[in-house]
Amino acid sequence: MNNTQREIPTRIANERNKLQMTIVEQLEHGRLVSNLAYLVGRELGLDEEALNNLIVAGFLHDIGKAEIEVVTTSSGEEAMLVEEINSIRQHPQKGYEILKRHGYAESICEAVLHHHENYDGTGYPDNMEGWNIPIDACILRVCDVFCALVTDRPYRSALQPDAALEMMIEDIRKYDVKVFLAFQRVLHDDSGQIVLPEIQDEVRGVWKTIWN
């Protein structure tokens, strides 16, 4: 069995477990992504409306998982469970459809739709690359990955922030470099230490509007 074949069951297990978070865990993940995305957007100089939309998109980026029915098979972890992967990877499209139905701004819907696109074209659902990916989605991509890595998950323990950042740097081809550099500036304090940002008052204010 080659390395690619060995990686398939692990990748499937990781994708599956992303859907096995409790509602509380999903809400907390949304809060972390939303806050970090706001700070990265502010670092990049986005205007107030764009920042507010980014906060909403960050909080709701995984809402499509609520409508995903995970397809499983009985053939064991060694099987290439293509149907299961395809089922899981529908959540950005599902999220887009949910938000469109509820009248959210197009930029919010597009950010949610494309938050798993990679800058090198290896992401999903549309294999978009480079400047074709909306800036909001590029920001969410970086923040989503980092917040997932530094949080305990059913399939692994949380990484320390420096280890998470190092892992992301190894995959830098997946991210918009301008966004990634802004993300790094947000994470590091004046002494160069990585500090997880506190929830901003502006972010809390936008969250309140989501529930109204």
Side-chain angles (χ1 to χ4, degrees), residues 35 50 54 58 61 65-66 83 86 93 123 131 142 181 189 201 209:
N35 187 63
L54 190 55
H61 71 281
K65 291 180 179 179
E83 295 88 352
N86 289 340
Q93 179 66 42
W131 291 101
V142 170
L181 291 174
D189 63 15
D201 290 339
T209 68

Side-chain angles (χ1 to χ4, degrees), residues 36-194:
L36 187 53
Y38 164 76
L39 291 169
V40 173
R42 189 175 69 181
E43 181 70 21
L44 289 168
L46 300 187
D47 62 35
E48 182 177 358
E49 180 180 2
L51 290 173
N52 288 345
N53 287 344
L54 190 55
I55 293 169
V56 175
F59 190 75
L60 300 176
H61 71 281
D62 278 341
I63 194 171
K65 291 180 179 179
E67 292 192 357
I68 293 296
E69 179 180 354
V70 180
V71 177
T72 59
T73 75
S74 59
S75 54
E77 289 299 325
E78 295 300 320
M80 295 179 64
L81 306 181
V82 176
E83 295 88 352
E84 186 169 359
I85 292 178
N86 289 340
S87 175
I88 293 168
R89 291 190 173 189
Q90 290 175 15
H91 81 271
Q93 179 66 42
K94 294 289 188 181
Y96 174 84
E97 294 168 1
I98 291 170
L99 297 180
K100 286 286 285 187
R101 289 199 302 268
H102 287 83
Y104 282 87
E106 184 63 23
S107 65
I108 295 173
C109 299
E110 290 286 334
V112 169
L113 176 63
H114 296 300
H115 76 275
H116 276 288
E117 303 286 2
N118 291 331
Y119 208 71
D120 63 355
T122 61
Y124 62 90
D126 296 324
N127 299 114
M128 298 176 73
E129 61 181 312
W131 291 101
N132 293 313
I133 307 172
I135 186 66
D136 289 4
C138 290
I139 293 171
L140 291 186
R141 182 66 175 134
V142 170
C143 298
D144 185 27
V145 171
F146 179 78
C147 291
L149 289 174
V150 299
T151 303
D152 285 328
R153 292 295 172 88
Y155 51 94
R156 59 154 177 79
S157 298
L159 298 180
Q160 292 298 312
D162 55 344
L165 190 57
E166 184 177 340
M167 182 179 292
M168 293 178 70
I169 290 172
E170 292 176 358
D171 283 335
I172 190 64
R173 68 188 183 281
K174 295 181 178 180
Y175 311 116
D176 181 325
V177 172
K178 181 174 69 173
V179 170
F180 195 82
L181 291 174
F183 160 72
Q184 286 187 301
R185 291 194 297 272
V186 166
L187 284 184
H188 289 85
D189 63 15
D190 293 339
S191 67
Q193 299 297 310
I194 297 178

Side-chain angles (χ1 to χ4, degrees), residues 6-66:
R6 292 191 187 95
E7 289 172 358
I8 288 171
T10 300
R11 188 169 68 247
I12 293 170
N14 289 349
E15 295 263 9
R16 178 190 298 155
N17 278 297
K18 289 176 185 177
L19 293 179
Q20 294 179 340
M21 300 167 65
T22 67
I23 294 297
V24 172
E25 288 170 336
Q26 290 190 39
L27 288 172
E28 180 59 21
H29 176 67
R31 290 174 73 253
L32 294 174
V33 172
S34 178
N35 187 63
L36 187 53
Y38 164 76
L39 291 169
V40 173
R42 189 175 69 181
E43 181 70 21
L44 289 168
L46 300 187
D47 62 35
E48 182 177 358
E49 180 180 2
L51 290 173
N52 288 345
N53 287 344
L54 190 55
I55 293 169
V56 175
F59 190 75
L60 300 176
H61 71 281
D62 278 341
I63 194 171
K65 291 180 179 179

